[in-house]
Amino acid sequence: MKDQNRAPVYEALENMRNTKLVPFDVPGHKRGKGNPALTQFLGEKCMSVDVNSTKYLDSLGHPTGIIKEGEEIAAEAFGASHAFFMVGGTTSSIQGMILSSVRKGEKLILPRNVHQSIINALVLSGAIPVYVNPQSSQRLGIALGMSLDDVRDTIKANPDAKAVFVNNPTYYGICSNLRGIVELAHSHGMRVLVDEAHGAHFSFGKGLPLSAMQAGADMSSVSMHKSGGSLTQSSFLLMGEHVNADYVRQIVNLTQTTSASYLLLASLDISRRTLALSGQEIFEKVKGFSQYAREEINAIGDYYAYSDEIINGDSVFDFDATKLSVNTYGLGLAGIEVHDLLHDEYDIQIEFGDLGNFLAYISIGDKTKNLERLIGALAEIRRLYRRGPSAAIRYEYLAPQVALPPQEAFYSPRRSVPLDQSAGEICSEFLMTYPPGIPILAPGERITQDILDYIRSSREAGCVITGPADLEADRINILTGEA
Amino acid sequence: MAFWFMENHTDNVVMSIKVKEQVYSEQSEYQRIDIFESEEFGRVLALDGIINLTEKDEFIYHEMITHVPMAVHPNPEHVLVVGAGDGGALRELGKYQSVQHIDLVEIDAALVAACRKYLPTTAIGYQDERVTVHNRDGLRFLRRLEDVYDLIIVDSTDPAGPGEILFTKEFYGSCYKALKQDGIMVNQHESPFYSYESAAMMRSYRRIRSAFPVLRVYQAHIPSYPSGHWLFGFASKKYDPLKDFDEKRWLAQGIQTRYYNTDLHRGTFCLPTYVRALLESE
């Protein structure tokens, strides 16, 4: 048993600060003294621990000392065999999982409602995506989890796939039957890779959905900087017992900086300690905040703040009750419109809005009075802006038609055509509506008229189209068909 | 030995009062509450180190925030007071026969208890049996109410403390909703003089104006507040504070005041040129 009271990276930095070591190494700002304007902005304490990897402070790429120790304590806290501190965001953890599990030409089974970083990682690895249609809810207008039967069918049809990828949970808080998927995949010799960008708290709270490691998954990418409280860009990559961590380290080192920020590392160390020691009460409180807000928002009328009543035993196997996801169909406003009204009229910033939902991120940093402001503003938005139940655009799942592996398509000769004249062509770049940032098109996929119609209605509702090289997204790159 | 209470009116200006005796001190769930006895101002209530009221000049504030709207509304029966744990506004409202019911919403129960015990000159307002006290968040209390009140008095601390929520657009909108068709809302509108208060004043002005068709600002001189020059906002769905002001009706009620009078009512809406310019710039 490791001592979760320890935080070796943090302790070493405190120790270094107290010894007043004279720096003749990088960074050149020398504990901030060489950059007074930046020090004024960030504070001396912060600058004094922005230091470089040394024999005493260990090295992220080849950890043998305090970082190794910190990673071992973290692994135990998450119930993993190994844990890596990551400083390139959860995107870097995702890349680590995919690049170490599926090689060029090998198949990865994944739901379509993955974050863009997953498909980007496929461009890097050359692997072939096999998409599982995530179930969707017409009432809520969102993609749900994968049904176990769909995963089983996809595995049967693709027995050569190397791994199955799972969101745990989705942005909206929805979990698939992770344990069931793990059993299925393992029985077919496939790994299970889990995106836990929105589930850092699962390992620490009580009565929350199962974490990837608890479910027996092989690897998991955990955004500690979301619900875990660490600094933006810091993340954990977790590994189960059947994963060769040394090999994963080599893969990670291909793209990871050799000048990892100790601010990020210390923030991971300290946040892990906090969650290990008091995560239960912290997330109990967060759940209480969300539950209170849900009850009050539902009492306003027309809004639907959903929770575990949407659990259906399959595509919604579990729900993360710390999330505050609200459907806006009853109001006749798109979620993105509510998002904009909250920002422009009430000085309230929420996480995102899509066509029919918005998500307010609730955390330990919240205060009751701010929740009251959010609820009050939502009541006012209903009073002043409601249009009556919408015949709104409902969420549609547009099954992707993969014509070429993403890597091949991404690097093939391309030409630019007007988006509205691109039906039938093969896309060579990404296109997504933001929010929610789930790909509509990925490199190598056939563009259809249904897809073009969906893009137009999303744009009309206020979503931004991102991805194409043309920032206005009026044009799109397609394959020329020449080798 | 001399004790001096000090309050920063700006980073560069300090107001200081000689303390005779510290009477009460508590860190409540929401704020630090101090009450002390002074030679010059009598008992002083400070919240988070900022003077909220003194026994010597509270009558100015409480009369002005109460009698101005009460002299305009023809028949105010249902009144809500938000904030104001001291009871001063309740004391002034208590002078009116027409009032049938007063809700007081003050989030901090500890403040109400301290004022009842140590500030009898204002806390006497609590003895009125028409008063119901609700220790809840003001916005939460108002959120579900519609078409209930004739008058809402927003007697908040400044926006740095727990009063912050009482300066938001969602709060003013909720007040509008909770008022009847001819309802009036009056608020403590900060001061035009120092930049911190004037910024809060402008924000408040802008937000109230987005919620109410009528908004007029009036002023009073309150010596213990930063710069002494203080403003109030008169917002309403229908009544104009001058055109609908009924002097005879108010005088007929025989209400005793020390600061407010009907001549002053007309003058109080005449603002200095720089204040007008500030408001017009919004």
Side-chain angles (χ1 to χ4, degrees):
Chain A
M1 278 288 275
K2 307 272 180 202
D3 181 359
Q4 294 292 334
N5 287 289
R6 296 281 321 280
V9 177
Y10 156 74
E11 289 156 16
L13 289 170
E14 279 287 22
N15 192 32
M16 179 210 71
R17 182 154 48 198
N18 293 337
T19 55
K20 310 224 184 270
L21 205 62
V22 180
F24 280 102
D25 62 347
V26 294
H29 64 64
K30 302 255 171 138
R31 317 291 193 258
K33 294 190 176 53
N35 193 342
L38 185 60
T39 305
Q40 163 83 8
F41 178 60
L42 292 178
E44 236 171 88
K45 274 194 115 168
C46 177
M47 296 297 281
S48 72
V49 292
D50 182 48
V51 293
N52 193 35
S53 165
T54 64
K55 186 174 156 192
Y56 310 97
L57 293 178
D58 208 358
S59 143
L60 185 61
H62 186 77
T64 54
I66 52 162
I67 291 179
K68 180 165 184 275
E69 216 183 323
E71 290 184 336
E72 285 169 0
I73 300 173
E76 198 169 292
F78 282 96
S81 297
H82 299 278
F84 290 171
F85 289 148
M86 302 295 286
V87 294
T90 297
T91 295
S92 69
S93 306
I94 297 278
Q95 288 172 3
M97 295 200 302
I98 288 178
L99 294 175
S100 61
S101 304
V102 275
R103 289 175 220 182
K104 185 164 177 150
E106 294 180 340
K107 287 180 184 168
L108 175 69
I109 295 172
L110 70 169
R112 180 58 162 191
N113 54 337
V114 289
H115 190 260
Q116 187 194 0
S117 60
I118 286 88
I119 304 176
N120 281 338
L122 295 181
V123 170
L124 293 178
S125 82
I128 302 165
V130 178
Y131 291 106
V132 175
N133 178 355
Q135 299 291 307
S136 63
S137 159
Q138 285 307 315
R139 168 66 190 89
L140 300 177
I142 57 173
L144 306 172
M146 293 185 285
S147 94
L148 202 56
D149 284 342
D150 288 346
V151 176
R152 186 180 292 113
D153 292 347
T154 311
I155 286 177
K156 264 190 198 148
N158 299 274
D160 53 338
K162 294 295 172 195
V164 180
F165 190 95
V166 188
N167 294 315
N168 192 48
T170 67
Y171 219 150
Y172 303 87
I174 290 162
C175 297
S176 302
N177 180 355
L178 191 54
R179 187 168 270 156
I181 292 171
V182 167
E183 282 167 13
L184 253 176
H186 282 179
S187 71
H188 289 81
M190 298 177 194
R191 270 191 184 175
V192 175
L193 313 179
V194 183
D195 180 352
E196 288 192 307
H198 302 285
H201 49 300
F202 287 2
S203 301
F204 301 97
K206 233 170 113 182
L208 294 173
L210 212 56
S211 76
M213 290 298 124
Q214 288 163 339
D218 298 287
M219 302 179 86
S220 162
S221 298
V222 178
S223 284
M224 198 62 173
H225 70 89
K226 294 198 175 97
S227 57
S230 66
L231 290 177
T232 296
Q233 208 172 304
S234 64
S235 173
F236 276 115
L237 175 55
L238 307 178
M239 285 148 278
E241 53 183 333
H242 302 299
V243 175
N244 179 346
D246 296 330
Y247 175 66
V248 177
R249 176 87 67 191
Q250 284 184 316
I251 297 282
V252 166
N253 281 343
L254 291 176
T255 51
Q256 181 158 276
T257 174
T258 52
S259 309
S261 163
Y262 276 82
L263 297 173
L264 298 181
L265 296 176
S267 85
L268 284 169
D269 211 20
I270 293 171
S271 309
R272 182 273 311 149
R273 183 179 67 178
T274 304
L275 295 197
L277 298 179
S278 24
Q280 256 190 32
E281 68 192 83
I282 286 173
F283 296 115
E284 216 38 52
K285 198 169 167 193
V286 175
K287 238 187 340 188
F289 279 148
S290 293
Q291 191 49 35
Y292 169 72
R294 262 194 290 275
E295 283 162 16
E296 294 291 312
I297 289 169
N298 285 333
I300 294 170
D302 296 335
Y303 293 102
Y304 174 32
Y306 39 97
S307 184
D308 45 19
E309 75 278 2
I310 66 169
I311 289 174
N312 62 17
D314 191 20
S315 59
V316 187
F317 190 77
D318 208 347
F319 182 81
D320 173 10
T322 68
K323 296 276 189 297
L324 181 58
S325 306
V326 183
N327 182 273
T328 59
Y329 282 162
L331 203 62
L333 293 173
I336 182 75
E337 291 178 290
V338 175
H339 167 281
D340 292 351
L341 285 167
L342 285 169
H343 178 273
D344 299 346
E345 301 294 327
Y346 299 96
D347 299 325
I348 293 172
Q349 179 66 58
I350 57 170
E351 179 74 9
F352 75 85
D354 65 15
L355 294 182
N357 300 267
F358 66 84
L359 189 131
Y361 204 83
I362 308 296
S363 85
I364 187 60
D366 280 307
K367 288 182 175 166
T368 311
K369 70 173 179 182
N370 287 345
L371 286 178
E372 295 299 348
R373 284 196 56 185
L374 174 66
I375 299 159
L378 290 173
E380 280 295 285
I381 286 173
R382 175 179 183 265
R383 180 173 73 88
L384 298 170
Y385 302 98
R386 84 183 281 267
R387 296 197 194 105
S390 59
I393 326 117
R394 304 265 157 154
Y395 172 84
E396 279 177 84
Y397 174 71
L398 302 161
Q401 301 177 19
V402 180
L404 281 177
Q407 188 182 64
E408 197 180 329
F410 189 84
Y411 288 112
S412 292
R414 53 174 77 179
R415 67 189 166 93
S416 167
V417 296
L419 183 62
D420 54 11
Q421 291 166 30
S422 63
E425 303 287 351
I426 296 173
C427 185
S428 80
E429 57 190 352
F430 282 103
L431 188 146
M432 70 206 90
T433 55
Y434 194 89
I438 289 164
I440 306 295
L441 283 168
E445 290 174 10
R446 179 99 45 205
I447 303 166
T448 65
Q449 192 55 48
D450 283 352
I451 288 174
L452 296 179
D453 292 344
Y454 182 81
I455 293 169
R456 188 171 355 91
S457 55
S458 296
R459 205 194 295 244
E460 279 163 9
C463 294
V464 180
I465 311 298
T466 64
D470 174 20
L471 292 178
E472 301 299 319
D474 292 325
R475 300 181 72 84
I476 192 158
N477 281 315
I478 57 163
L479 299 192
T480 61
E482 296 148 22
Chain B
M1 193 169 72
F3 276 133
W4 288 82
F5 167 86
M6 274 180 22
E7 175 189 334
N8 280 8
H9 279 185
T10 76
D11 286 345
N12 308 299
V13 176
V14 158
M15 149 87 155
S16 198
I17 298 176
K18 191 169 184 184
V19 178
K20 216 159 100 182
E21 175 192 17
Q22 176 78 6
V23 175
Y24 178 78
S25 199
E26 182 194 353
Q27 178 66 48
S28 80
E29 190 186 341
Y30 300 98
Q31 56 204 336
R32 161 87 185 226
I33 304 167
D34 289 288
I35 298 171
F36 63 88
E37 186 75 43
S38 72
E39 206 64 68
E40 194 63 52
F41 283 92
R43 291 233 161 138
V44 177
L45 168 67
L47 300 176
D48 288 331
I50 296 166
I51 292 179
N52 189 262
L53 67 79
T54 80
E55 276 181 336
K56 187 165 182 168
D57 66 358
E58 57 81 15
F59 72 101
I60 304 172
Y61 179 92
H62 289 126
E63 288 186 14
M64 289 303 279
I65 206 167
T66 307
H67 299 303
V68 172
M70 290 298 281
V72 174
H73 197 291
N75 186 33
E77 293 177 339
H78 297 279
V79 182
L80 168 67
V81 181
V82 186
D86 53 76
L90 302 178
R91 180 192 64 205
E92 296 305 312
L93 285 168
K95 296 174 181 172
Y96 292 86
Q97 299 291 325
S98 72
V99 172
Q100 293 177 4
H101 186 252
I102 305 169
D103 283 315
L104 174 85
V105 181
E106 162 60 58
I107 194 168
D108 195 347
L111 176 63
V112 173
C115 291
R116 286 185 115 145
K117 197 158 177 192
Y118 299 108
L119 292 173
T121 45
T122 52
I124 189 168
Y126 285 110
Q127 288 174 15
D128 194 315
E129 49 192 33
R130 291 170 292 182
V131 173
T132 310
V133 179
H134 310 265
N135 292 126
R136 291 177 75 176
D137 177 88
L139 181 54
R140 183 180 180 193
F141 180 85
L142 274 165
R143 211 158 50 220
R144 296 185 196 181
L145 299 180
E146 208 166 335
D147 202 19
V148 176
Y149 296 109
D150 299 300
L151 170 64
I152 297 178
I153 294 177
V154 185
D155 182 357
S156 62
T157 55
D158 74 8
E164 180 190 352
I165 207 162
L166 308 183
F167 285 86
T168 61
K169 189 171 172 177
E170 50 274 29
F171 176 74
Y172 298 135
S174 301
C175 285
Y176 180 92
K177 182 166 62 95
L179 283 169
K180 292 182 186 166
Q181 292 312 305
D182 62 348
I184 298 172
M185 179 191 87
V186 172
N187 84 321
Q188 181 280 93
H189 209 77
E190 298 285 306
S191 163
F193 192 73
Y194 291 126
S195 61
Y196 173 77
E197 284 88 11
S198 75
M201 170 204 89
M202 308 268 277
R203 267 200 312 277
S204 180
Y205 186 76
R206 185 168 62 237
R207 289 170 179 168
I208 296 174
R209 208 176 46 181
S210 74
F212 284 86
V214 178
L215 172 60
R216 296 286 303 272
V217 169
Y218 62 100
Q219 60 184 352
H221 180 243
I222 303 172
S224 64
Y225 282 6
S227 86
H229 184 191
W230 217 255
L231 302 180
F232 298 89
F234 179 105
S236 92
K237 291 186 171 182
K238 184 174 166 192
Y239 298 122
D240 182 275
L242 296 172
K243 288 188 205 121
D244 297 301
F245 167 48
D246 190 336
E247 181 175 12
K248 283 199 190 116
R249 188 180 61 221
W250 191 79
L251 288 171
Q253 297 177 76
I255 285 161
Q256 299 300 309
T257 53
R258 288 167 64 205
Y259 190 87
Y260 178 83
N261 58 56
T262 52
D263 289 337
L264 185 83
H265 185 110
R266 289 188 198 89
T268 193
F269 287 91
C270 301
L271 300 175
T273 308
Y274 86 96
V275 181
R276 266 198 224 169
L278 277 174
L279 297 177
E280 277 163 16
S281 73
E282 271 302 320

